[in-house]
Amino acid sequence: MALKVAIVGRPNVGKSTLFNRLVGKRLALVDDRPGVTRDRRYADGNIGDMDLTLIDTAGYEDVTDDSLESRMREQTEAGIEDADVILFMMDAREGVTSLDEIFAERLRKQEKPVILLANKSESRESGGGVGEAYSLGFGEPVAISAEHGEGMADLYAALVTASADIFIEEIDEPDKPIRIAIIGRPNAGKSTLINRLIGEDRLLTGPEAGITRDSISVDWEYEGQNIRLVDTAGMRRKARVQEKLEKLSVADTIRAITFAEVVVMVMDKDNAFDVQDLQLADLVEREGRALVYVASKWDLEEEPQARMAELKRMAEDKLPQLKGSPFVALSAHSGRGVERLMPAVLKAHETWSVKVKTKDLNDWLSMATQRHPPPAVDGKRIKTKYMAQTKARPPTFVLFASRGGALPDHYIRYLTNSIRESFDLPGTPIRLTVKGGSENPYAAGGAKSGPERYKGDAKTAPRAVRKKAEEESHLPGKALEQKKTRVAKPRVISGVKSSSKKAGSSVAVQKGARGGARQVSRSGRIRTGQKHAPKK
């Protein structure tokens, strides 16, 4: 088990910045204004070869009334009680303030090692603040810069010294938990629902809207199953989100949806399925996550059965792509109906992880196409071949068909809804991809045609012509020069004899095919014999 370290201090001294640096990623929201962090957040981190369980806390405020700051102080004190080592952080630029002294007095009562950190010590102006830190009574302060990563070696040495006498129990690694994100609009009761599920006031709640800013994860065990509940900030309509901090909170909520497995959407029973709820549900479907609807504040409903029937009808009409999603009505404040939530969540997770055998899929495909054959496109019927499931979470299927690219969208929706009904997959996003195989794979350029072979130039010319062409250069300048300087040679005919005979008589004698003389006229024609020759 890792060493639990709580990072505490007054507001805006850089606690969340150091938390993000030790964790290795930007988990906690960071802003210049004080009081950004409100809940305590847990995360695994390390420094050197030391594994840590880090606790990011809210800025300490010295108030004890019923205000929001007082509830934030209670969360900070709960983090101190849970930690093994306390990192007390102060601002070296501003020096020691009265609130630092009050908090230091509070920490002296703890029987736990306290390491004093003087943050923002990268400039010359911080030298005086580091000197003032000795007055807090925690020994020599460790000068660090959480923003620039300076002083981490000194912090590691201080942690090694402080944890020397702390016994860290080794426990087995727990099974991978089911990640459940709780989303909804502001003031819908998300944090109250998580506190009711786990049975303690783990998250900050109150009548104010928008208390939760970070996505806070809470590990919990339900009937032997490890669960990780993620409380998210309320999401308003995009046009109303103007401040930078609220934009960061919305981005953090979207990231929580992306990494979740099951999403529980909490809605007010009076304003359920408005525009923002529909957009959130559509986002969950596009991300491919299982969805469970929750109607909160159900203890105030006067006609529960009629209202539940109306809400289910609205869900099927406005979100047909998530038809059959579980619907739970409860009251997080009084606890009414909360026991029905986790069975619905586990059922949705089981459906989301289902795997269908290929044989059953193809048997279903045969019956589905017989009941409703694919339409003809451009006068040609589309033929389905076979189907297979490529992966789960969410269930993803691939259909192979001739001219699959021309399959209409309405027929794909028919197949998707038929899969949902036939294999009992209510409310689960289903991905169906159609691939066509109409082209010939052995044609040129096809999938099985292979690389094209180079056969070379045809060698049909006579050998003498080829040899003459090979002797000549084919370079552009050289070939033109050879062509210009080429001289036509006279044709030499063997066996030609000069004669002064009259025109029309043979002027040349050439050896014939059988060894005899062949007569050639002046026009070049070979005379095969004399006409009207006297007979012997």
Side-chain angles (χ1 to χ4, degrees):
M1 186 176 180
L3 180 70
K4 283 188 177 182
V5 178
I7 307 174
V8 299
R10 62 181 178 84
N12 204 25
V13 295
K15 300 183 294 298
S16 297
T17 305
L18 178 62
F19 176 83
N20 289 340
R21 177 164 292 280
L22 296 179
V23 170
K25 49 188 173 182
R26 297 179 63 89
L27 284 183
L29 298 184
V30 177
D31 196 71
D32 294 335
R33 70 176 69 181
V36 173
T37 304
R38 290 175 175 175
D39 287 285
R40 69 181 189 271
R41 174 197 286 270
Y42 290 74
D44 294 331
N46 63 330
I47 179 170
D49 58 350
M50 183 181 296
D51 294 331
L52 305 174
T53 298
L54 298 165
I55 308 174
D56 187 22
T57 62
Y60 186 83
E61 298 282 356
D62 188 24
V63 288
T64 56
D65 53 7
D66 295 333
S67 63
L68 178 61
E69 288 76 12
S70 177
R71 283 173 274 157
M72 292 166 57
R73 181 184 58 82
E74 294 175 358
Q75 290 287 326
T76 301
E77 291 178 351
I80 293 174
E81 294 292 336
D82 194 19
D84 299 324
V85 178
I86 300 172
L87 299 182
F88 177 30
M89 185 177 289
M90 51 86 63
D91 192 340
R93 294 178 184 174
E94 298 183 7
V96 177
T97 64
S98 59
L99 191 57
D100 290 331
E101 295 177 352
I102 295 174
F103 196 22
E105 185 68 25
R106 168 72 177 80
L107 292 179
R108 289 192 193 99
K109 300 178 182 179
Q110 294 288 329
E111 298 180 356
K112 296 179 180 180
V114 178
I115 301 175
L116 180 60
L117 303 180
N119 192 27
K120 306 178 184 179
S121 301
E122 69 276 3
S123 60
R124 295 181 179 179
E125 293 80 4
S126 60
V130 175
E132 293 179 7
Y134 283 91
S135 63
L136 295 176
F138 294 105
E140 182 181 359
V142 180
I144 66 168
S145 174
E147 180 70 24
H148 301 90
E150 298 179 3
M152 294 297 109
D154 297 335
L155 176 59
Y156 170 75
L159 281 173
V160 170
T161 304
S163 62
D165 298 333
I166 298 176
F167 174 71
I168 302 177
E169 183 182 0
E170 296 292 336
I171 60 174
D172 297 333
E173 283 292 327
D175 296 334
K176 188 176 180 181
I178 299 176
R179 296 186 298 272
I180 303 172
I182 314 294
I183 67 170
R185 289 178 295 162
N187 205 21
K190 302 180 292 297
S191 301
T192 307
L193 176 60
I194 294 180
N195 288 341
R196 175 65 63 176
L197 285 173
I198 64 178
E200 61 175 297
D201 292 336
R202 170 64 179 82
L203 300 172
L204 195 62
T205 59
E208 302 89 354
I211 292 179
T212 304
R213 286 175 173 170
D214 296 86
S215 295
I216 306 299
S217 60
V218 179
D219 291 334
W220 177 50
E221 185 175 346
Y222 174 77
E223 296 183 356
Q225 175 66 52
N226 292 323
I227 304 292
R228 177 166 294 171
L229 299 170
V230 182
D231 184 26
T232 62
M235 295 180 64
R236 299 192 299 168
R237 296 180 61 180
K238 187 176 181 180
R240 299 181 181 179
V241 179
Q242 301 294 336
E243 296 183 359
K244 173 188 174 183
L245 187 58
E246 189 172 359
K247 291 181 180 179
L248 293 176
S249 298
V250 171
D252 205 19
T253 301
I254 295 175
R255 183 167 62 249
I257 295 174
T258 304
F259 287 99
E261 298 176 0
V262 181
V263 177
V264 177
M265 190 171 72
V266 182
M267 302 175 291
D268 194 329
K269 65 178 183 60
D270 297 327
N271 300 319
F273 294 109
D274 67 345
V275 177
Q276 182 65 12
D277 292 335
L278 295 177
Q279 290 178 350
L280 287 175
D282 184 66
L283 174 63
V284 172
E285 194 276 334
R286 284 186 280 112
E287 290 292 338
R289 303 295 178 254
L291 181 63
V292 177
Y293 301 118
V294 169
S296 64
K297 306 176 183 178
W298 199 252
D299 54 342
L300 304 177
E301 181 60 42
E302 298 178 356
E303 299 179 355
Q305 295 182 355
R307 183 59 178 167
M308 177 57 70
E310 182 182 359
L311 291 178
K312 290 184 178 180
R313 184 172 60 254
M314 292 172 61
E316 293 184 0
D317 293 342
K318 296 184 177 182
L319 295 168
Q321 67 271 28
L322 293 170
K323 184 178 180 181
S325 295
F327 213 116
V328 180
L330 53 84
S331 173
H333 182 70
S334 64
R336 175 184 175 185
V338 176
E339 69 278 359
R340 297 196 298 267
L341 177 60
M342 287 310 299
V345 168
L346 295 179
K347 177 63 177 176
H349 183 267
E350 181 183 356
T351 304
W352 184 64
S353 308
V354 73
K355 294 182 179 179
V356 184
K357 296 181 180 179
T358 305
K359 179 181 182 301
D360 298 338
L361 266 178
N362 287 277
D363 293 342
W364 162 85
L365 179 62
S366 177
M367 292 186 294
T369 52
Q370 288 178 8
R371 184 170 61 248
H372 186 185
V377 180
D378 297 334
K380 297 181 180 179
R381 178 70 66 181
I382 298 177
K383 298 180 180 179
T384 57
K385 297 180 180 179
Y386 65 95
M387 194 174 187
Q389 182 178 1
T390 56
K391 68 184 187 76
R393 300 186 173 189
T396 304
F397 304 94
V398 177
L399 172 64
F400 294 88
S402 63
R403 304 174 65 241
L407 197 65
D409 293 338
H410 66 84
Y411 195 79
I412 297 178
R413 286 195 297 270
Y414 157 72
L415 294 177
T416 303
N417 293 330
S418 182
I419 290 175
R420 193 187 306 278
E421 295 175 1
S422 300
F423 296 102
D424 192 18
L425 305 175
T428 300
I430 295 177
R431 303 289 187 258
L432 178 58
T433 306
V434 182
K435 292 186 177 182
S438 58
E439 60 276 357
N440 183 5
Y442 293 97
K448 298 183 180 181
S449 60
E452 185 177 356
R453 296 179 60 188
Y454 177 72
K455 299 181 180 179
D457 298 331
K459 298 182 179 181
T460 56
R463 183 180 301 175
V465 177
R466 295 202 310 270
K467 185 177 181 181
K468 184 177 181 181
E470 291 172 358
E471 291 176 356
E472 297 181 358
S473 173
H474 293 283
L475 295 175
K478 193 69 175 178
L480 184 61
E481 181 181 353
Q482 290 176 351
K483 185 176 181 181
K484 290 182 179 180
T485 58
R486 187 181 301 150
V487 180
K489 297 180 181 180
R491 184 179 181 183
V492 179
I493 302 176
S494 60
V496 176
K497 296 180 180 180
S498 59
S499 176
S500 59
K501 294 185 178 181
K502 297 181 180 179
S505 60
S506 60
V507 296
V509 178
Q510 187 177 6
K511 188 174 181 180
R514 296 183 180 180
R518 301 179 66 186
Q519 295 180 354
V520 181
S521 65
R522 291 182 179 274
S523 61
R525 293 191 304 173
I526 299 175
R527 302 177 65 178
T528 57
Q530 297 180 355
K531 293 182 179 180
H532 309 291
K535 296 181 180 181
K536 293 184 181 181

